[in-house]
Amino acid sequence: MVKMPNHGKHVEIVVQQLNKFNPENQSMDHFLDESTKVLQALNVTDGKFVLETLAGCIEYKPLLDIVANAFFVQDGKRCLSSERNLYVVICYLATFQLEELGLQQFSRIVKSLDAAKMHKFLRFFFSVLNLNTWIKDEWSQIYDSPYVKENWIDPLLRWQPKIQQLIEQLADKLDNHVTTVKSSTVTEPKEFNLTIPKPRAIPIPEPIPLQERTQPVPQSTYKPPKEKRHLEEIKRQNRQKAEHLVLEANVNKFKCAFSKLDKRENASEVKNKPEFQAQKIQGKIDNVPIKLNAAAILREGALYQRKMEQELNRIESLLRGARDPSEFLEWQKQMREKDLEQQLAEIECRRLQGKLSHEEAVLARQNVIQENKKKADLMREEIGELMCQYAERRLQEQKEMRELVEQVVEGHKNAKQAKMKLQKYKRQIVQEVSEESRELLRQALEEAEEKLRKRYELIQQIRAIESLPLFRNKFVDLTQTPGHGLIGEMSIVELRERLALLKEAQKKAEEEKRDQIIHEKQAKEQLLLDKLEQISQFRAALGRAATLRQEEKKIKSRFSEGPVKRLSAREPLESAGRESGTTVQNASAWPSIQRSSSENGCM
């Protein structure tokens, strides 16, 4: 009886070896040599199958990784990442060894593994849509597209109906799988043996407390307070007093409060009423002492100086023959109107220029659009030519790739002999490298021993130096410079002398500043005294002018006797006379004021 090989065990061995393979640290030949040692327990045919499968999975690793990665992204999201090499092995057997193994042998391998995992992966890999779309495109990026389609995709599509039957068999196996559940004894709940509590005694009812009787709300709550009534009474009395005072003020109002119409209408009433006489202010106003600060003195002095200059300028302009400025104002008005008309004309001109520029911009934009259309047509023609050239170049590259694939296929025939030679060459290199590495290791050990010996001697010398006594007292010479090579180096003695000189110079500068401040303060006080003397002279002159005006009024009031109509007729004349008199008096007073100010300036 022929013993059937255990394909599931063989696949597990291949998966274990693939998990150990590290392409960064191991070469493919060296790894296969190590794998042969592991497979010595198997017979020749089984060992050959495992080695061929292992070598194929490593050689076509980029192609198989594309399918495995896509499977974990789409259908295998819940699969373990540690089972990734299992799907890689099944993908290799289905793609490259299916023709050699046959459907029956491949089915045995698949059925010897987990049915759920194989059903999910084969349904994903042998999908017609996946084979014709992204699997073909991804493999075509690594190998030539016609080679991929002819050697790999088309055979898979031919085997797809038979593999579909295998997938259905796996699905039936999963549906008919019944899980045996162990029968367990049902636990029956029992009551707890608890002590029965004693019945509680009925509590004695507490007496309900009676609510105390509240006092009634006082009547004063609904009446306004006495203070508010008192304030309203005071307010009413004050309003009556104010109305009475307003009535008296309207009856006995001053002469200045009447308008001209009231004077004409009530002329007869004015005759009968007594003339208003203002009360004279007792005491002398000029002798009232007023305390002025420095700012007030300077401000008042500047005010009198400005008034004097304005009066002198007015007198000079009158002496020069000043005129009425109405003609100048009329000319100024006409010129402003002309300027306004000119500005309006310029604004209209700018508006028309803006319209013209807008129309020109529209025309320019239309021209640019037409030029862009022409350029786009030219670009389309150039793109069409470039596409034709690209298609021709692509066809040429495909022909070259076919030739290259044919050359590679021919080269694969002699690959085994080349591998044997390469293995022998590598073994020689490994032997030479091992001998060189032993020599280098021996030299490194000798150098390390020499370094340790020198380090030990140096440590002994340092310890001997540290055992000697040290003199820690340091003598400092204050007259010696440190010698760091800086520009402003100096000794401590020189530094102290320079600091003393700087302190003396600072004291001298402070004394000079203090003397300057005292002199400025004295000059300011003298200026204030001069301003006060000037202000007193101005006030004396104004006082003399006021006394002269009052004396003139008294003299004119003595000689003015007659009816009220004459007085009212003479009032404008007297006012004009008084104004002329005051101007004459002011004019007579200004020279004296000017002389006094010039004398003060000379002082």
Side-chain angles (χ1 to χ4, degrees):
M1 185 176 180
V2 182
K3 186 179 178 181
M4 297 298 292
N6 191 355
H7 300 287
K9 184 178 180 182
H10 295 166
V11 172
E12 289 177 359
I13 293 170
V14 174
V15 172
Q16 290 175 3
Q17 294 299 318
L18 284 175
N19 291 331
K20 295 178 183 178
F21 177 65
N22 188 1
E24 295 179 357
N25 299 328
Q26 292 176 330
S27 64
M28 180 178 172
D29 297 333
H30 183 65
F31 178 70
L32 292 174
D33 292 339
E34 291 180 353
S35 300
T36 53
K37 296 177 182 179
V38 176
L39 300 175
Q40 287 177 357
L42 300 174
N43 50 13
V44 179
T45 56
D46 296 339
K48 186 178 179 181
F49 170 75
V50 172
L51 286 175
E52 289 178 357
T53 307
L54 187 61
C57 291
I58 295 171
E59 184 178 358
Y60 296 103
K61 189 175 185 300
L63 299 177
L64 304 175
D65 286 340
I66 292 170
V67 179
N69 294 333
F71 172 70
F72 275 97
V73 171
Q74 295 181 11
D75 294 348
K77 293 180 180 178
R78 297 183 180 180
C79 296
L80 298 175
S81 59
S82 60
E83 299 173 351
R84 185 175 183 279
N85 288 325
L86 174 64
Y87 302 117
V88 170
V89 172
I90 299 302
C91 182
Y92 169 76
L93 293 175
T95 306
F96 300 97
Q97 297 292 329
L98 189 56
E99 295 283 347
E100 185 177 351
L101 292 173
L103 181 62
Q104 187 176 3
Q105 190 76 5
F106 182 74
S107 301
R108 289 175 183 173
I109 293 171
V110 171
K111 289 178 181 179
S112 64
L113 300 172
D114 190 357
K117 298 175 184 177
M118 294 298 104
H119 174 264
K120 190 180 292 186
F121 178 73
L122 292 175
R123 186 182 61 185
F124 167 77
F125 181 58
F126 279 94
S127 174
V128 179
L129 180 64
N130 293 338
L131 289 171
N132 287 324
T133 55
W134 62 269
I135 293 177
K136 180 182 176 182
D137 296 337
E138 293 292 334
W139 286 0
S140 297
Q141 292 180 5
I142 301 172
Y143 292 92
D144 192 14
S145 180
Y147 181 79
V148 171
K149 186 177 184 303
E150 183 179 354
N151 295 326
W152 298 330
I153 301 298
D154 290 343
L156 288 172
L157 292 174
R158 285 197 303 271
W159 284 100
Q160 196 272 337
K162 296 180 181 180
I163 298 296
Q164 188 65 32
Q165 295 177 2
L166 176 61
I167 294 170
E168 291 175 357
Q169 292 176 8
L170 293 172
D172 296 337
K173 184 178 179 181
L174 290 173
D175 293 337
N176 296 329
H177 184 67
V178 178
T179 57
T180 59
V181 180
K182 294 181 180 180
S183 61
S184 59
T185 58
V186 179
T187 56
E188 296 178 357
K190 294 182 180 180
E191 296 182 357
F192 293 102
N193 188 11
L194 300 175
T195 57
I196 300 171
K198 295 180 180 179
R200 293 183 181 181
I202 299 171
I204 301 170
E206 296 180 357
I208 298 171
L210 298 175
Q211 190 176 5
E212 296 180 359
R213 187 174 182 181
T214 57
Q215 295 181 359
V217 180
Q219 294 296 327
S220 60
T221 306
Y222 306 104
K223 293 181 182 179
K226 293 181 181 180
E227 290 82 2
K228 188 175 181 180
R229 292 201 300 272
H230 184 61
L231 289 173
E232 289 179 354
E233 185 66 24
I234 293 169
K235 187 177 179 180
R236 186 178 58 78
Q237 292 176 4
N238 290 337
R239 185 173 183 81
Q240 290 178 359
K241 288 180 183 179
E243 290 176 354
H244 182 67
L245 291 172
V246 169
L247 183 61
E248 289 182 356
N250 289 331
V251 172
N252 300 324
K253 60 184 176 180
F254 298 122
K255 185 179 179 181
C256 62
F258 290 99
S259 62
K260 294 181 179 180
L261 296 173
D262 295 336
K263 288 179 180 179
R264 293 173 185 175
E265 292 175 357
N266 301 325
S268 60
E269 294 179 1
V270 174
K271 294 177 185 178
N272 298 327
K273 289 182 180 180
E275 188 175 355
F276 174 75
Q277 294 180 357
Q279 295 180 0
K280 294 182 179 180
I281 300 170
Q282 300 296 331
K284 295 182 179 180
I285 299 171
D286 296 336
N287 295 331
V288 176
I290 299 171
K291 187 176 180 181
L292 300 175
N293 55 6
I297 292 167
L298 294 174
R299 190 164 54 247
E300 193 169 358
L303 176 64
Y304 286 129
Q305 187 71 23
R306 190 165 59 252
K307 284 184 179 180
M308 185 175 69
E309 290 176 358
Q310 289 177 359
E311 188 66 23
L312 290 174
N313 291 331
R314 189 178 66 80
I315 292 169
E316 288 179 0
S317 63
L318 291 173
L319 291 174
R320 290 173 185 171
R323 294 184 178 181
D324 187 14
S326 61
E327 295 179 358
F328 174 73
L329 294 173
E330 185 67 25
W331 174 80
Q332 190 178 15
K333 184 179 179 182
Q334 292 176 1
M335 294 303 292
R336 285 179 179 174
E337 289 177 355
K338 287 181 180 179
D339 293 339
L340 182 62
E341 291 176 357
Q342 188 175 2
Q343 290 177 359
L344 293 173
E346 290 177 356
I347 290 168
E348 185 66 21
C349 182
R350 285 197 295 271
R351 188 179 66 80
L352 295 174
Q353 288 178 358
K355 285 186 176 181
L356 291 173
S357 63
H358 178 68
E359 292 177 357
E360 291 176 355
V362 170
L363 294 173
R365 187 164 60 253
Q366 292 177 357
N367 294 330
V368 169
I369 291 168
Q370 292 178 359
E371 291 177 358
N372 290 334
K373 288 181 179 178
K374 292 179 181 178
K375 289 179 181 179
D377 296 336
L378 293 173
M379 289 293 290
R380 290 192 193 96
E381 293 176 358
E382 292 176 357
I383 289 167
E385 293 177 358
L386 291 172
M387 289 298 291
C388 293
Q389 295 176 4
Y390 175 74
E392 293 175 357
R393 189 168 62 253
R394 185 67 179 172
L395 292 172
Q396 186 67 27
E397 289 176 356
Q398 288 179 358
K399 290 179 181 179
E400 292 176 357
M401 288 298 293
R402 289 194 192 97
E403 294 176 357
L404 182 61
V405 169
E406 291 176 357
Q407 294 176 3
V408 170
V409 171
E410 291 177 358
H412 278 303
K413 294 178 181 179
N414 300 323
K416 291 184 179 180
Q417 296 177 0
K419 285 180 182 179
M420 296 295 291
K421 292 180 181 179
L422 184 63
Q423 287 178 1
K424 291 180 182 179
Y425 178 69
K426 285 183 179 180
R427 286 170 186 168
Q428 293 176 1
I429 291 171
V430 168
Q431 290 177 359
E432 293 175 359
V433 168
S434 61
E435 292 176 358
E436 291 177 358
S437 61
R438 291 193 195 97
E439 184 66 25
L440 291 172
L441 183 61
R442 186 179 59 78
Q443 292 177 2
L445 289 172
E446 291 177 356
E447 291 177 357
E449 289 176 357
E450 185 68 22
K451 286 181 180 179
L452 287 172
R453 188 178 58 78
K454 290 181 179 179
R455 191 176 296 173
Y456 180 71
E457 292 176 357
L458 182 62
I459 289 168
Q460 286 181 349
Q461 293 176 4
I462 291 169
R463 287 178 179 175
I465 292 168
E466 288 178 351
S467 63
L468 295 174
L470 295 175
F471 298 98
R472 299 186 181 277
N473 296 328
K474 189 175 181 181
F475 300 98
V476 180
D477 189 6
L478 299 178
T479 59
Q480 187 178 1
T481 57
H484 296 302
L486 300 175
I487 296 173
E489 280 187 348
M490 62 182 73
S491 62
I492 296 174
V493 176
E494 186 179 357
L495 178 63
R496 289 173 181 173
E497 290 178 359
R498 290 195 179 188
L499 289 174
L501 292 173
L502 286 173
K503 287 181 180 178
E504 291 178 0
Q506 189 176 3
K507 288 181 180 178
K508 188 176 180 181
E510 288 178 356
E511 290 176 358
E512 290 178 356
K513 186 69 175 178
R514 193 179 292 109
D515 295 339
Q516 184 180 357
I517 291 168
I518 291 168
H519 289 313
E520 290 178 356
K521 190 174 181 181
Q522 290 176 357
K524 188 175 181 180
E525 290 177 355
Q526 187 64 34
L527 177 63
L528 292 175
L529 292 173
D530 295 340
K531 289 288 183 182
L532 282 172
E533 188 176 355
Q534 186 178 1
I535 288 167
S536 62
Q537 290 177 3
F538 275 112
R539 286 180 177 176
L542 293 174
R544 287 194 296 274
T547 53
L548 290 173
R549 286 196 297 273
Q550 288 179 1
E551 289 176 358
E552 286 180 0
K553 286 181 182 179
K554 288 179 182 180
I555 292 168
K556 288 180 181 180
S557 64
R558 289 174 186 174
F559 290 104
S560 62
E561 291 178 357
V564 178
K565 293 182 180 179
R566 293 181 182 178
L567 288 172
S568 61
R570 290 177 184 176
E571 279 178 0
L573 296 173
E574 289 177 359
S575 62
R578 283 197 298 274
E579 290 176 358
S580 61
T582 53
T583 52
V584 171
Q585 288 174 1
N586 291 330
S588 62
W590 282 117
S592 63
I593 294 168
Q594 190 174 6
R595 283 196 302 276
S596 63
S597 63
S598 62
E599 289 174 0
N600 291 326
C602 295
M603 289 173 68

